[in-house]
Amino acid sequence: MQAIILARRDFRESDQIISFLTLEKGKMEVLAKGVKKIISKNSAHLEPFSYVELEIIKGKELNHLGAVQSIDYFINIRQDLQKSLIAGFVVSLLNKILEIEEKDKRIFILLKSWLKFVNNCSEIKLVMVDGFVVKLLFYLGLDIVSVEKTSRELKKDLTILLEGDWQLIFNLKFEKGEYEKLHRLIYKFLVFQIGKKINDWGSFVFS
């Protein structure tokens, strides 16, 4: 089964619970036995936002992780601190928002395409996260473009974030102060609709 790792958390002395997103079954969790041990072969493949092929073994209470093979480690993201921080934020956001086995193939495709673009682009821009969030919310039935009453210019920007591809979003240019307004609108909409505490990715640049 192909999956993108969202998060890992400690469970007992040497085990971890691995959260990941799949195309077929949405978000899932498995118990990875012994993964914290130095000799573990799987640990390196289970870092957040790794794209992997994994085997799931049926368990009584929790399914167990079997073999894991890396498909794409997104090495360019990991070698860039800013990219790595933001990619880590995106997968942790998905882990917080999505319920177990909440199925929507579009979300897996969205995350995979976003990671591939970020891995290959020259730099990371926060508007890439805004675009990801706008598209994600739309797939969850929350259309900020239709709901929010705002200026014509901001509405135009929101439409591009929803409908545009990653290259178009990457190339967006803003007048002074325009991006900050757009970002805060998206962040406040996200927090209000999700009803959970979510860190502001804008804090990577402005506070």
Side-chain angles (χ1 to χ4, degrees):
M1 176 182 291
Q2 293 188 2
I4 298 172
I5 307 299
L6 300 180
R8 50 195 295 180
R9 66 182 188 273
D10 292 345
F11 184 79
R12 300 182 186 138
E13 186 176 348
S14 60
D15 305 337
Q16 287 187 327
I17 302 292
I18 309 298
S19 301
F20 54 92
L21 187 66
T22 71
L23 181 68
E24 299 88 356
K25 296 186 177 181
K27 177 185 167 182
M28 300 180 70
E29 289 188 341
V30 293
L31 174 63
K33 287 191 169 184
V35 76
K36 291 172 65 180
K37 294 179 180 178
I38 296 174
I39 60 172
S40 172
K41 295 179 181 179
N42 288 336
S43 185
H45 301 306
L46 298 174
E47 290 300 316
F49 63 85
S50 296
Y51 180 31
V52 298
E53 179 83 32
L54 50 79
E55 175 190 17
I56 298 175
I57 301 168
K58 204 75 174 174
K60 289 183 179 179
E61 295 181 7
L62 276 172
N63 289 335
H64 294 182
L65 181 69
V68 183
Q69 279 191 319
S70 177
I71 298 174
D72 197 334
Y73 196 58
F74 299 112
I75 190 65
N76 293 335
I77 295 178
R78 297 182 195 279
Q79 291 178 344
D80 184 308
L81 178 59
Q82 194 75 356
K83 284 186 176 184
S84 185
L85 286 171
I86 292 178
F89 169 81
V90 164
V91 292
S92 67
L93 174 66
L94 278 172
N95 191 48
K96 183 175 287 190
I97 289 177
L98 299 179
E99 301 295 334
I100 299 295
E101 295 194 10
E102 182 174 350
K103 303 173 187 177
D104 191 329
K105 291 182 178 181
R106 296 174 300 174
I107 295 176
F108 180 88
I109 295 168
L110 176 71
L111 177 59
K112 180 181 170 184
S113 68
W114 186 88
L115 287 169
K116 285 191 171 185
F117 185 87
V118 171
N119 190 63
N120 294 323
C121 67
S122 58
E123 61 177 315
I124 185 64
K125 297 181 179 180
L126 289 183
V127 71
M128 296 297 301
V129 186
D130 294 288
F132 182 90
V133 169
V134 169
K135 294 176 191 295
L136 173 64
L137 288 171
F138 181 79
Y139 294 156
L140 296 174
L142 302 167
D143 183 4
I144 187 174
V145 178
S146 300
V147 172
E148 287 295 298
K149 295 179 180 178
T150 186
S151 68
R152 182 181 299 177
E153 194 59 40
L154 281 176
K155 186 78 75 176
K156 178 184 175 183
D157 291 336
L158 288 170
T159 301
I160 292 172
L161 294 183
L162 177 59
E163 300 177 359
D165 61 22
W166 298 126
Q167 189 64 56
L168 180 61
I169 294 170
F170 181 84
N171 291 334
L172 275 174
K173 304 293 183 185
F174 299 96
E175 298 293 331
K176 185 177 180 180
E178 182 187 349
Y179 171 69
E180 287 84 351
K181 291 179 184 177
L182 176 68
H183 166 75
R184 291 192 178 102
L185 177 69
I186 295 167
Y187 174 70
K188 289 179 180 178
F189 183 83
L190 171 67
V191 172
F192 177 77
Q193 295 292 341
I194 299 303
K196 295 180 180 179
K197 184 179 179 181
I198 296 169
N199 292 330
D200 183 354
W201 57 98
S203 63
F204 285 105
V205 172
F206 52 82
S207 57

